Amino acid sequence: ANNLQGQMFSNANFSQQDESAYGSPAEATGVAAMPGDLMANATQDLFVYTLADMSLRKGERATLPIFNTEAEYEDLFTWNYSIIQGSQRDNNGSPQQIISNDVWHQIRLTNRLTMPWTTGPAMVLDTGFPVAQNLLTYTPSGQRVMVPLTIATDVQGQYTDEEIARKERARTFQGYEYMQVTKKSTYCIVNNKKETVKLLLRAQFGG
């Protein structure tokens, strides 16, 4: 379970996951269905929901709905692949180390409300059956957010890297000579599902 302590006071600590590679922001047009005694307003970097005064007797508990709305939903499979070079090496002494090689099943939600979604736990249901629980990060009005579900077992990624050229003394900078190495990277995705899936691939390379 995610540790949510300390998150309730500062939504600014959690920005929405980077959507720059996934499309432009959406237009905010929706209005949430909120209880009549609930108000919402922005305060500095926080967004505060204010409920009217209420009383609870000793031992009583209350569950208070904030708002209800419908959001655009999209199933995605994502592979964020990163390679680092330098001092961090694996047990075999290789100059390269794989940071992650997992394809994730995620959902992408679009906030078309005129107010943000604040940070909090999110439970994902499929026809009433719980499939995942994760953190919904702070999502401004008109923006999209990714919510991870689980590692995809039926969509697998493989990566190969090969050197195809090497040139000695290719560059000189501040009296130092540098070698130029040309490499070829190949990404292979295998979809073992019966249906077509939408995949987002993000590759990061070290220098």
Side-chain angles (χ1 to χ4, degrees), residues 5 86-87 173 175 185 190-191 198:
Q5 293 181 355
S87 58
F173 180 71
S185 299
V190 179
N191 177 21
K198 185 173 183 179

Side-chain angles (χ1 to χ4, degrees), residues 79 81-85 94-98 158-166 181-188 203-206:
W79 188 18
Y81 194 94
S82 301
I83 294 180
I84 58 174
Q85 297 182 351
S94 172
Q96 296 181 338
Q97 178 182 358
I98 297 176
Q158 294 181 346
Y159 167 84
T160 59
D161 180 84
E162 63 175 313
E163 181 179 320
I164 59 177
R166 181 180 292 249
V181 179
T182 304
K183 308 189 75 174
K184 177 183 178 181
S185 299
T186 303
Y187 296 85
C188 179
Q204 298 178 347
F205 301 91

Side-chain angles (χ1 to χ4, degrees), residues 125-170:
L125 306 176
D126 184 3
T127 61
F129 183 80
V131 295
Q133 184 175 9
N134 215 307
L135 191 69
L136 176 69
T137 55
Y138 183 86
T139 310
S141 173
Q143 297 294 321
R144 297 178 173 90
V145 64
M146 304 285 285
V147 181
L149 301 182
T150 183
I151 293 178
T153 56
D154 293 332
V155 181
Q156 300 172 344
Q158 294 181 346
Y159 167 84
T160 59
D161 180 84
E162 63 175 313
E163 181 179 320
I164 59 177
R166 181 180 292 249
K167 182 180 179 181
E168 300 283 350
R169 300 183 180 88

Side-chain angles (χ1 to χ4, degrees), residues 173-184:
F173 180 71
Q174 294 184 348
Y176 292 93
E177 294 181 340
Y178 292 87
M179 178 187 301
Q180 178 178 312
V181 179
T182 304
K183 308 189 75 174
K184 177 183 178 181

Side-chain angles (χ1 to χ4, degrees), residues 62-78:
T63 300
L64 306 176
I66 297 179
F67 63 83
N68 295 317
T69 186
E70 293 185 359
E72 294 180 15
Y73 156 89
E74 187 177 10
D75 259 307
L76 297 172
F77 290 83
T78 62

